[in-house]
Amino acid sequence: MESYAAGRELYVLPSELPIPDLGLQPVNAYLVRGEQPVLVDTGMPVDRAAFEEALWSLVDPADLRWIVVTHDDRDHTGSLTRLLDRAPGAKVITNGISLTRLSEEFEIPRERVVTVNPGSRISVGDRQLSFLRPPTFDSPGTLAVFDHADGTLFSSDSFGTVLPTSVRRFDDVDVKEFFEGFDVLNRAIAPWTALVDPEKFQRVVRSVSSLSAARLLSAHGPMVEGRTVTALMDAMARIPFLPSWLPGADIDLEAALDAHDATMTRSNQDATVTRSNQDATPRANDDDPGIQPPLPPSAVHSSSNHRSHP
């Protein structure tokens, strides 16, 4: 897993999930470093080793203070208990509903949890975080997070997309492909949008838009900044007017996941051989680190009972 910067003291820990006949769904967690480092979501179970390696390369376990769980789906909680074991000073921030659902599987000491609701606002060192309900969601405990320090909106599943290839930024993607995937994913995770009162839905979108976020980071999309954030708000506002979306009846998700996992395994094996060969190559001096090969992309899937969406 190759992390990358999305802003000052802001890092993306990326992965992806193959969606048959559609493309790749990004699966991102985010680290905000600062006076009290904050991790937003904890990756997929199958990513654990790579996720934790990438995370601890960015922050010392002793320094991590907060782990925001936007909701209890497995592609957001994959490394949660392991991180709590490694980072004894970290506390979980989540909604009470999500905590109840997490407790069906995980034992999280109550003294290490802070529960919040839409409308809550808390201080985390030099930052203020506000919590809100995003327009689309597939879990009743879902929360989006707004960082007042730099205007970043962590929108959880909402505002995500499905794309043909992995990209880091909206500027790197074909606009038509982005919004086609956007319409699919936001209907797939929230089929109830076809049943809602459009005006009530618009009020939620307007409330989120009123934050004037400088940057929007979805768990399932590339980074969006500036005026493009407004374009996503406009696209979200039309979701209730679109017909509901369902995958084809003959979709073979398991086969796609198995094939994707085999590709990842081969990539990891190739990378191991490359690193071994490099380690065996003499270096001119200790100050010359040599040419480091790029790490393979972490294109992996969740093998849990709760498959990631769509």
Side-chain angles (χ1 to χ4, degrees):
M1 179 179 293
E2 185 177 359
S3 62
Y4 59 91
R8 184 175 180 272
E9 296 298 313
L10 174 59
Y11 297 88
V12 184
L13 293 96
S15 189
E16 59 195 22
L17 182 74
I19 307 299
D21 302 324
L22 292 176
L24 299 175
Q25 174 189 281
V27 181
N28 302 321
Y30 299 98
L31 175 68
V32 183
R33 296 198 304 200
E35 185 179 320
Q36 295 185 12
V38 180
L39 177 67
V40 180
D41 289 327
T42 68
M44 297 189 287
V46 75
D47 270 345
R48 284 180 183 134
F51 181 90
E52 292 165 29
E53 181 180 3
L55 175 63
W56 302 137
S57 74
L58 296 170
V59 63
D60 190 285
D63 294 332
L64 185 64
R65 286 294 175 267
W66 303 99
I67 301 173
V68 176
V69 177
T70 62
H71 62 294
D72 55 287
D73 281 358
R74 295 302 303 278
D75 54 338
H76 298 255
T77 63
S79 290
L80 178 57
T81 56
R82 290 166 61 98
L83 299 186
L84 288 173
D85 289 341
R86 286 288 307 278
K91 290 187 176 182
V92 174
I93 303 175
T94 194
N95 179 260
I97 295 175
S98 292
L99 178 61
T100 299
R101 289 157 64 105
L102 287 169
S103 298
E104 296 174 4
E105 181 175 4
F106 307 126
E107 292 186 12
I108 305 174
R110 190 63 185 85
E111 65 272 14
R112 298 190 68 181
V113 180
V114 175
T115 55
V116 292
N117 285 312
S120 296
R121 180 166 173 158
I122 65 174
S123 296
V124 290
D126 55 350
R127 296 176 181 270
Q128 292 278 323
L129 301 181
S130 288
F131 298 85
L132 59 146
R133 181 81 78 189
T136 53
F137 54 87
D138 64 357
S139 175
T142 300
L143 294 169
V145 187
F146 184 68
D147 184 349
H148 292 267
D150 62 3
T152 298
L153 175 63
F154 301 94
S155 64
S156 191
D157 291 350
S158 199
F159 297 98
T161 188
V162 181
L163 297 167
T165 58
S166 298
V167 297
R168 294 182 174 184
R169 301 171 184 272
F170 179 89
D171 293 343
D172 299 328
V173 70
D174 179 89
V175 173
K176 182 174 181 292
E177 290 177 343
F178 177 91
F179 284 110
E180 286 177 348
F182 181 98
D183 289 347
V184 168
L185 187 136
N186 284 282
R187 286 180 293 163
I189 67 169
W192 48 263
T193 54
L195 308 175
V196 301
D197 180 335
E199 178 51 36
K200 290 182 178 179
F201 189 85
Q202 307 312 313
R203 286 203 294 268
V204 175
V205 176
R206 287 194 294 268
S207 176
V208 176
S209 183
S210 69
L211 295 171
S212 299
R215 179 186 298 114
L216 190 153
L217 297 178
S218 171
H220 301 308
M223 179 171 66
V224 179
E225 295 182 291
R227 290 182 295 179
T228 308
V229 174
T230 302
L232 263 64
M233 298 294 165
D234 293 340
M236 182 61 72
R238 71 169 183 262
I239 291 296
F241 298 98
L242 299 177
S244 58
W245 184 90
L246 290 173
D250 59 347
I251 188 170
D252 191 350
L253 182 58
E254 292 296 335
L257 293 173
D258 290 343
H260 199 69
D261 195 33
T263 300
M264 183 195 70
T265 300
R266 288 194 298 271
S267 297
N268 288 338
Q269 291 171 343
D270 291 344
T272 300
V273 171
T274 300
R275 286 195 294 270
S276 298
N277 292 339
Q278 183 186 34
D279 290 341
T281 301
R283 294 177 179 174
N285 54 62
D286 291 339
D287 295 327
D288 178 12
I291 299 175
Q292 299 294 322
L295 294 176
S298 185
V300 293
H301 64 81
S302 170
S303 60
S304 67
N305 291 334
H306 303 287
R307 285 294 187 197
S308 302
H309 36 65

